[in-house]
Amino acid sequence: MKLLTLTALVCGLLVVAQAKPATRMSMDELTRIIEEYREKFDDLHEEKDMFVNVARIITRAELKLLNEATVDNLADAWSDIEHHFDGTRKIIGDMIILPNANEDCLLGLVEEIVAERIRAADEMSRCASDKIEIKEGLADDFRSLVNVLQRISTLAAEYTLYSFVNHNSIMDPEEHIEWLERNYNNQVYFWDNVARPEAQEDLDFLEVNRPYLVEENRLCLERIQVQMTEVDRNINQRINQCVV
């Protein structure tokens, strides 16, 4: 009888133990953990913002360097072309006052020089604009990526607050914490393994590509310089034909 009573008592205690609800996380504990995740998300947001800001600065710097190098190339090429034509114009100016000079013939050569200078300027402009358009196209693509990263960064700062909208922290605090942990880990993984490497690759390409664009621009201008040198030589050779 005592054995049956003891058995019944043990079974009763087990039933009570099983029926007893699991201890819920206290609000203090929930608040502490949420604050930890808020700080983690804020740190992630700051890290992303820092990268995005640096990326924007580098993009602007790359475009500035390209523009400056292009302007320098243009200035050097134009100076060389003008040097040749200036010499020819001086010769024409000295000869046009001679009594046996054919003024119309010499003025025709001057007009030819003017036309060739205009043609050279147009072609030089195309050399520059082609390269700048390519560079700005690359920069536009990168800016779009940076803007996406900026939105991701902003969302990271708002995750903790947003989590209260779709979670009942009173009824199921554990699920709330699990959601924060899951999303934080996803954010870190995406940032470290997808977003930042892709952005860094594009940024590196932007930096590496600039010297090649500058060199292509220089070679394009050099071809025009060679053409104009030949034009100048041809005009020079015909000057004496304008003296009778």
Side-chain angles (χ1 to χ4, degrees):
M1 184 66 176
K2 287 182 179 180
L3 181 59
L4 290 174
T5 303
L6 182 60
T7 302
L9 180 60
V10 171
C11 289
L13 289 173
L14 287 173
V15 170
V16 171
Q18 290 173 355
K20 183 180 179 180
T23 304
R24 280 208 185 114
M25 182 183 298
S26 69
M27 290 305 297
D28 287 344
E29 181 70 5
L30 176 64
T31 301
R32 182 186 65 77
I33 296 175
I34 288 177
E35 177 60 19
E36 288 178 359
Y37 274 103
R38 185 193 66 76
E39 292 176 359
K40 287 182 178 181
F41 276 114
D42 280 352
D43 289 343
L44 190 59
H45 164 66
E46 289 177 6
E47 179 186 351
K48 291 177 180 179
D49 259 9
M50 188 179 301
F51 179 85
V52 167
N53 289 334
V54 169
R56 283 178 172 147
I57 290 170
I58 291 176
T59 301
R60 287 194 294 269
E62 284 299 310
L63 285 176
K64 183 173 182 290
L65 289 171
L66 174 67
N67 291 338
E68 289 175 350
T70 301
V71 169
D72 288 343
N73 285 346
L74 284 169
D76 291 343
W78 188 251
S79 177
D80 178 71
I81 291 170
E82 281 290 86
H83 172 72
H84 289 293
F85 283 140
D86 280 347
T88 302
R89 281 195 296 261
K90 185 178 185 306
I91 294 172
I92 293 173
D94 291 340
M95 295 189 69
I96 203 167
I97 60 175
L98 297 176
N100 58 338
N102 184 331
E103 185 175 331
D104 290 338
C105 178
L106 291 171
L107 289 176
L109 294 179
V110 172
E111 290 175 358
E112 192 173 333
I113 290 174
V114 171
E116 289 296 337
R117 287 175 73 251
I118 293 173
R119 182 170 71 87
D122 288 341
E123 292 184 7
M124 290 169 72
S125 178
R126 281 193 289 273
C127 285
S129 63
D130 287 349
K131 300 302 172 288
I132 291 176
E133 283 176 9
I134 292 171
K135 188 72 173 183
E136 288 185 342
L138 295 172
D140 286 342
D141 291 342
F142 187 72
R143 286 191 195 99
S144 297
L145 176 59
V146 167
N147 289 337
V148 171
L149 295 180
Q150 182 66 71
R151 289 196 291 274
I152 293 172
S153 174
T154 302
L155 285 173
E158 298 171 353
Y159 255 103
T160 308
L161 181 62
Y162 171 74
S163 68
F164 285 96
V165 175
N166 58 351
H167 290 88
N168 190 329
S169 303
I170 303 299
M171 298 301 296
D172 196 352
E174 286 82 3
E175 202 279 332
H176 188 168
I177 297 303
E178 288 174 3
W179 186 89
L180 283 173
E181 181 181 10
R182 185 169 60 253
N183 278 277
Y184 175 76
N185 291 336
N186 288 341
Q187 281 269 322
V188 170
Y189 178 85
F190 176 76
W191 178 249
D192 289 343
N193 297 282
V194 180
R196 184 165 57 185
E198 182 177 338
Q200 188 63 57
E201 183 179 346
D202 287 352
L203 193 61
D204 292 342
F205 182 75
L206 200 63
E207 291 180 274
V208 169
N209 199 44
R210 175 175 52 82
Y212 293 104
L213 291 175
V214 172
E215 179 62 13
E216 285 181 8
N217 171 252
R218 188 191 67 78
L219 293 175
C220 180
L221 294 171
E222 189 176 81
R223 287 192 291 271
I224 298 171
Q225 287 175 256
V226 171
Q227 292 172 11
M228 290 300 109
T229 299
E230 184 59 33
V231 167
D232 178 68
R233 183 182 297 111
N234 179 271
I235 292 173
N236 229 305
Q237 290 173 349
R238 286 184 283 138
I239 290 177
N240 288 332
Q241 298 174 10
C242 296
V243 179
V244 294

